[in-house]
Amino acid sequence: MVVLLAGDFRQALPVIQRGTPTDESKACLKSSSLCVKVEKFSLKTIMRVHLHNDVDSRNYAETLLKIGHGCLDADAEGSILLSEEFCKLVENDVEFIAKIYQHLQQNLNSDHWLCARAILASRDEIVNKINIDILKEVQGEVKEYLSMDAIMNTEQSTSYPTEFLNSLELSGVPSLKLQLKLNVPAMLMRNIDTPELYNETKLRIIQLGQNIIGANILTDKQLLNSSMVFFDCIGFVNNEAPTTGY
């Protein structure tokens, strides 16, 4: 039996819940006893460059390799210094948002325009900050939805007061407050009704009710059909803590 594993393992370490970088390194393929039996093949030719003489793609790929090898210059804090030729650099979050969502208010009603844009971040607190900054740029009233957190085992309710549960920021579980405005983009964070409503489905909010949220699906397959969906309270059970939320 032959198994083909593709990718840069330096950029795709396994995720170990509550683990340290050492735990992740120990769980990767190179720490396995099977690693000595693995035959390694390296990328020799970038076909996009070879077939189309795409110089920009070649320079971009070479820079990525230098990042992987640790060959790029870094500042005193260890941050990599990227050039303007590699990416568009910005000074702050406000400028960054303006680069991605240019003329945001004028284009909010365009599903195609919203579908072509997204901002990814590595930490939940960064996501929350960017969301708040984008909401400030959109006209209209903010609608706030609060989660309802509870202990699954009622006998432990005195050990976990509601204030403590509301302060938790657990992976895969939304924060206490969800703030939305009409027409703003949103992203689904769990599978609800595949293949239409799945994790990372992009949405545009079109209705904000007391207990119901209406949205248009922005994925490519649904744009022509203008599919509209509604969401009510969704239950979350977290395995890392004895809690459930809505």
Side-chain angles (χ1 to χ4, degrees), residues 150-153 156 160 165 238-244:
I151 296 295
M152 298 179 63
N153 187 350
Q156 298 180 338
Y160 300 95
L165 298 179
N238 189 275
N239 295 324
E240 299 180 3
T243 62
T244 181

Side-chain angles (χ1 to χ4, degrees), residues 92-108:
N92 48 56
D93 293 345
V94 176
E95 185 181 351
F96 176 64
I97 294 173
K99 288 283 187 180
I100 304 300
Y101 292 103
Q102 296 181 7
H103 309 295
L104 175 61
Q105 188 62 48
Q106 294 89 328
N107 292 289
L108 274 179

Side-chain angles (χ1 to χ4, degrees), residues 99-146:
K99 288 283 187 180
I100 304 300
Y101 292 103
Q102 296 181 7
H103 309 295
L104 175 61
Q105 188 62 48
Q106 294 89 328
N107 292 289
L108 274 179
N109 292 322
S110 173
D111 290 350
H112 287 275
W113 187 84
L114 290 175
C115 187
R117 288 160 173 79
I119 295 178
L120 303 180
S122 57
R123 303 179 66 87
D124 289 341
E125 53 263 32
I126 300 177
V127 173
N128 294 334
K129 183 180 184 303
I130 292 177
N131 286 341
I132 293 174
D133 291 340
I134 292 179
L135 281 179
K136 293 179 180 178
E137 299 295 325
V138 178
Q139 298 177 1
E141 182 181 354
V142 175
K143 182 72 173 180
E144 186 174 83
Y145 297 89
L146 301 179

Side-chain angles (χ1 to χ4, degrees), residues 18 147-152 156-170 173-176 238 240-244:
R18 301 182 182 275
S147 66
M148 182 181 67
D149 301 317
I151 296 295
M152 298 179 63
Q156 298 180 338
S157 58
T158 56
S159 302
Y160 300 95
T162 303
E163 293 77 11
F164 170 74
L165 298 179
N166 292 341
S167 66
L168 295 178
E169 294 287 346
L170 302 175
V173 178
S175 303
L176 170 65
N238 189 275
E240 299 180 3
T243 62
T244 181

